[in-house]
Amino acid sequence: MEQLKDIFGKVFTKHRNTLPGLSEQETDELKAAIETGDLSLAAYVVQKSDELLKKTELNIAITGESGAGKSSFLNALRGLGDEDEGSAETGVVETTKEPERYQHSKYPNVIFWDLPGIGTPDFKPDTYLEQVTFSRYDFFIILASERFRANHAKLAQEIRKMRKKFYFVRSKVDLDLYNEKYKKSFNEERTLEKIRNDCVNNLPREGMSSPQVFLVSSREFQKYDSPKLQKKLLKELESHKKHIFLMALPNLSQPILEKKKKALQRQIWKQALKSCAIAAVPLPALSVKCDVGILVDNMRQYCESFGLDDISLIILASQVGKSVAELKYVIKSPLSKEISKEMAEKLLAQATGEGVMVVKHFVSMIPVVGTIFAAERSFTVTYKMLNSFLDGVAEDAQRVLIKALETEEKTSE
Ligand SMILES: Nc1nc2c(ncn2[C@@H]2O[C@H](COP(=O)(O)OP(=O)(O)O)[C@@H](O)[C@H]2O)c(=O)[nH]1
Ligand SMILES: [Mg+2]
């Protein structure tokens, strides 16, 4: 027992009190489970953490004047085009005074709220937040398609008073660029800088000091400040919310793909531990014990989060004007719906065949497996298998992104 605690002391120093994918409190619980040497309790802590992750809600409020592009922005953030099923209606005159709720199609716990417009004569910044139940939201996006005005600044101040976060987003920059393009002296960077300065300088005049403004286009959601905005939003969320938001973000930029992969990698040891410890089923041919259902669930999740499923591919294809077949052509992994228990077992068999040295370093980080868990091999094999499956899926997602953003000239080369 003493020896165990010794090893753990080192692990926790290394990870500054948290293990990958666990909150501080969950890490403490796992630590306690390990001190009693109880593997099923350790697996239970991990299971509970997963359940909490599934239950965690993220509520995002999008506000701004009518016509600012709120509904379009909300659709883009959900990875939907304006005409896709379940998307918010755009270009219609707002009549509603109630926030409209839109769930993410794959991550129903990520909820986007299209708030009533703030430009109307009866809009009062000091009562607006009460009217839209401000306490519900994790953060606010304040959208404007032109200059930010007094109403935006006042609203931001009210949000700040309520100790909530807000972000200024200047929408429709594709239109600004289009309108400037006819000028001989046109320069995209300079035009964007001018819009940014205009927004940043105008807000202080309305009482909002040192604001940060993100320039986006919902038509070209992969461009301009959109990746920076997504990164910023993620950074300011606590761990579970960060994870679910990241999974739900559209697969339109390389940095987001990389972040998704890292976040899923951090979860793998938990999944491997669950798979071997909770109702593990022996797979005699492979001389390992695991719950193949857990593996299948995880593999499907990877595919869906990276957009390797029919619906995501259809939507992406229509957004970029390519055929689904063209996108599918670059995918080597199975699509979400093709994943079966048989496939998982086959991949496990491959993982048992390969050297398991690679994960040795990881096993030493999670000593519950390396020391007190008799079936270390089961853990190692499932860990390895999920990792290499995730690698494949992430590579596919990158190839799909490159294909999707490829311009016509390139295609015809
Ligand atoms: N070019 C371009 N048009 C946009 C963009 N965002 C919104 N629009 C258009 O602006 C109009 C109003 O957008 P909508 O999202 O309905 O605004 P809302 O009233 O704030 O919800 C619609 O015709 C949209 O198609 C954008 O980023 N670029
Ligand atoms: Mg709208």
Side-chain angles (χ1 to χ4, degrees):
M1 258 322 155
E2 276 314 304
Q3 200 191 351
L4 247 187
K5 284 182 200 164
D6 266 9
I7 302 169
F8 246 78
K10 280 185 208 133
V11 173
F12 285 101
T13 326
K14 196 162 145 194
H15 287 278
R16 290 210 207 95
N17 298 326
T18 55
L19 282 168
L22 291 184
S23 68
E24 238 173 90
Q25 193 198 336
E26 289 161 353
T27 305
D28 284 346
E29 286 175 33
L30 186 71
K31 218 162 154 182
I34 282 161
E35 286 191 353
T36 63
D38 187 341
L39 173 70
S40 60
L41 188 59
Y44 175 68
V45 172
V46 163
Q47 168 91 352
K48 246 183 26 188
S49 156
D50 268 12
E51 276 163 17
L52 182 65
L53 196 63
K54 282 194 193 115
K55 267 192 272 177
T56 302
E57 263 197 12
L58 179 71
N59 287 275
I60 302 165
I62 314 212
T63 181
E65 293 177 355
S66 178
K70 296 185 297 297
S71 307
S72 307
F73 179 81
L74 185 150
N75 289 336
L77 206 50
R78 290 161 77 212
L80 295 178
D82 287 345
E83 281 160 281
D84 292 323
E85 206 184 310
S87 65
E89 213 175 326
T90 59
V92 285
V93 179
E94 274 169 339
T95 49
T96 168
K97 292 245 181 331
E98 295 297 321
E100 293 214 38
R101 184 177 192 273
Y102 295 92
Q103 275 176 312
H104 192 279
S105 55
K106 288 182 200 155
Y107 300 90
N109 295 356
V110 179
I111 303 152
F112 302 86
W113 296 86
D114 201 342
L115 298 195
I118 61 169
T120 55
D122 48 327
F123 162 73
K124 308 262 183 325
D126 51 337
T127 52
Y128 179 81
L129 286 178
E130 290 290 344
Q131 283 165 20
V132 300
T133 329
F134 73 89
S135 58
R136 175 158 63 196
Y137 312 110
D138 291 284
F139 58 80
F140 292 77
I141 304 249
I142 306 176
L143 209 71
S145 57
E146 291 167 16
R147 208 168 254 182
F148 286 93
R149 283 190 282 268
N151 275 344
H152 300 105
K154 278 195 202 122
L155 183 62
Q157 279 157 338
E158 290 301 320
I159 297 173
R160 186 178 278 166
K161 263 193 222 156
M162 304 296 186
R163 300 180 183 281
K164 295 264 173 177
K165 288 210 162 72
F166 58 87
Y167 303 87
F168 289 113
V169 173
R170 168 59 160 77
S171 63
K172 305 191 196 178
V173 294
D174 60 307
L175 282 183
D176 296 82
L177 291 172
Y178 180 81
N179 288 335
E180 288 284 310
K181 260 187 190 144
Y182 75 95
K183 291 185 184 164
K184 263 209 197 97
S185 60
F186 173 74
N187 172 300
E188 180 170 311
E189 274 309 303
R190 264 209 306 273
T191 310
L192 291 172
E193 208 43 43
K194 223 173 93 190
I195 305 172
R196 195 190 320 276
N197 287 341
D198 185 50
C199 294
V200 170
N201 296 335
N202 202 47
L203 277 165
R205 275 201 284 277
E206 307 292 353
M208 190 79 241
S209 56
S210 50
Q212 190 179 5
V213 176
F214 297 89
L215 272 44
V216 308
S217 158
S218 302
R219 295 270 163 87
E220 302 168 313
F221 202 59
Q222 74 281 10
K223 282 187 165 180
Y224 315 115
D225 291 343
S226 175
K228 206 164 84 187
L229 170 68
Q230 293 174 41
K231 222 168 119 187
K232 174 90 174 171
L233 298 178
L234 279 171
K235 199 170 156 212
E236 300 192 347
L237 289 169
E238 56 91 1
S239 69
H240 283 358
K241 294 201 182 212
K242 184 186 285 186
H243 186 81
I244 57 163
F245 186 43
L246 177 58
M247 292 304 121
L249 282 175
N251 295 301
L252 285 176
S253 80
Q254 193 74 21
I256 294 293
L257 293 183
E258 275 157 26
K259 275 183 185 295
K260 278 195 186 184
K261 183 176 165 187
K262 283 214 180 91
L264 287 167
Q265 268 172 345
R266 286 158 60 84
Q267 301 283 330
I268 290 184
W269 72 271
K270 293 163 51 182
Q271 306 312 317
L273 182 62
K274 268 188 351 195
S275 161
C276 328
I278 299 174
V281 183
L283 299 170
L286 309 176
S287 68
V288 295
K289 267 184 169 183
C290 42
D291 185 326
V292 181
I294 291 179
L295 304 181
V296 168
D297 281 352
N298 277 281
M299 290 157 71
R300 285 196 184 132
Q301 268 179 43
Y302 300 165
C303 287
E304 301 222 341
S305 175
F306 278 107
L308 304 183
D309 58 278
D310 281 326
I311 294 175
S312 302
L313 288 168
I314 290 170
I315 290 172
L316 181 62
S318 83
Q319 281 171 353
V320 296
K322 298 230 155 72
S323 71
V324 175
E326 255 180 290
L327 299 182
K328 275 194 181 169
Y329 186 72
V330 298
I331 299 176
K332 294 182 181 161
S333 312
L335 293 187
S336 173
K337 64 163 191 222
E338 295 159 5
I339 293 166
S340 62
K341 286 199 169 187
E342 292 68 37
M343 175 181 293
E345 282 180 27
K346 209 172 97 197
L347 293 175
L348 273 177
Q350 275 169 21
T352 54
E354 290 169 33
V356 283
M357 290 300 286
V358 190
V359 285
K360 224 178 169 106
H361 130 92
F362 190 84
V363 173
S364 72
M365 270 168 35
I366 311 294
V368 64
V369 175
T371 53
I372 59 171
F373 189 27
E376 177 186 330
R377 182 179 156 79
S378 295
F379 176 89
T380 314
V381 167
T382 49
Y383 180 81
K384 180 127 198 326
M385 181 278 231
L386 283 178
N387 249 306
S388 79
F389 186 77
L390 175 61
D391 281 347
V393 169
E395 278 169 25
D396 279 336
Q398 282 196 20
R399 277 194 296 268
V400 170
L401 175 64
I402 293 169
K403 187 85 206 159
L405 301 182
E406 215 171 60
T407 53
E408 286 310 318
E409 296 88 84
K410 260 196 178 158
T411 332
S412 58
E413 259 171 18

